[in-house]
Amino acid sequence: MSWNDFNSAEDQQAFDVIPRGTIAKVRMTIKPGGYDDPSNGWTGGYATDNPTTGSVYLNCEFVVLDGPFAKRKVWSLIGLYSSKGPEWTNMGRTMIKGILNSANRLLPDDQSPAAQQARRITSLQELDGIEFVAQIGVQKDRDDEPRNTIRMAITPEHKDYAAVMNGLSSAPVAQHQQATPTHYSAPQSQTASANPAGLPAWAK
């Protein structure tokens, strides 16, 4: 294949957003931001900080692993700190707890020693590459265009969790009656780079 002959290149594809409420197994990877704060356990350069606002977050990419939306990508931010107050930190902690519960097949009310240990991490690196079941949402970006986001992590008490987690479901299941989202995110383009198309209030 010649470097300057693009006839054999794949055609561009236009994707509609994944339907709101779709449940799918995803793999999360963290785009390193190069920010460390060992006093908070943020090492390895995984965190990103906004020097203007003082917010610190994980810049995350989620790849759908199975079903009709396999290989599609969703981008969201998970907050670690905001100068605007503790709300966003608490929401980020809640989201990460949900991810750990989902990835480790733990019920939220499981307080056994093994479950408590599974909810502890020694570094942010342990979240890089983690696989879990997620509910996908739809939000408007700053240009008022719909973009997908990760709305929440789905845990084993959900009726579709086992099938989706085990890859037995032929398609992600759309669920429109779910609990209130436990985190926030910055919806992004489905086909563009992972640079935020819109930031949540705490990161501005």
Side-chain angles (χ1 to χ4, degrees):
M1 133 186 0
S2 173
W3 73 268
N4 62 348
D5 183 351
F6 299 95
N7 286 288
S8 61
E10 294 184 4
D11 291 332
Q12 295 185 112
Q13 299 183 48
F15 291 111
D16 291 329
V17 294
I18 299 171
R20 185 190 309 274
T22 293
I23 294 175
K25 187 176 181 181
V26 300
R27 178 185 297 116
M28 180 177 104
T29 57
I30 302 171
K31 180 180 180 182
Y35 180 77
D36 287 336
D37 183 348
S39 66
N40 281 306
W42 306 334
T43 59
Y46 285 95
T48 298
D49 77 312
N50 183 327
T52 302
T53 65
S55 61
V56 182
Y57 54 89
L58 300 178
N59 189 359
C60 301
E61 176 184 277
F62 302 83
V63 178
V64 178
L65 298 177
D66 301 305
F69 304 110
K71 300 183 180 181
R72 293 280 296 275
K73 296 179 180 181
V74 177
W75 291 275
S76 291
L77 307 183
I78 299 178
L80 300 175
Y81 170 80
S82 173
S83 60
K84 298 180 183 295
E87 176 185 3
W88 307 110
T89 299
N90 293 335
M91 291 174 72
R93 285 173 53 81
T94 296
M95 179 59 182
I96 292 172
K97 179 181 179 180
I99 290 173
L100 291 171
N101 280 340
S102 181
N104 292 294
R105 304 173 187 263
L106 300 175
L107 292 170
D109 59 358
D110 185 349
Q111 295 301 319
S112 66
Q116 291 189 42
Q117 182 59 38
R119 296 189 189 103
R120 297 186 181 103
I121 61 174
T122 58
S123 72
L124 295 173
Q125 183 179 8
E126 294 180 41
L127 300 174
D128 190 33
I130 196 167
E131 297 181 2
F132 67 99
V133 179
Q135 184 189 61
I136 297 172
V138 179
Q139 295 181 355
K140 295 291 185 68
D141 66 12
R142 62 189 175 195
D143 297 319
D144 207 35
E145 294 290 332
R147 294 291 183 266
N148 283 127
T149 183
I150 299 298
R151 187 169 184 263
M152 63 189 300
I154 299 298
T155 46
E157 76 278 10
H158 191 285
K159 66 182 181 65
D160 297 308
Y161 171 88
V164 175
M165 188 63 170
N166 295 326
L168 301 177
S169 179
S170 60
V173 182
Q175 297 290 333
H176 298 284
Q177 300 297 324
Q178 290 288 342
T180 302
T182 56
H183 74 296
Y184 41 79
S185 55
Q188 325 253 335
S189 168
Q190 298 303 108
T191 55
S193 71
N195 293 325
L199 294 173
W202 55 267
K204 294 178 180 178

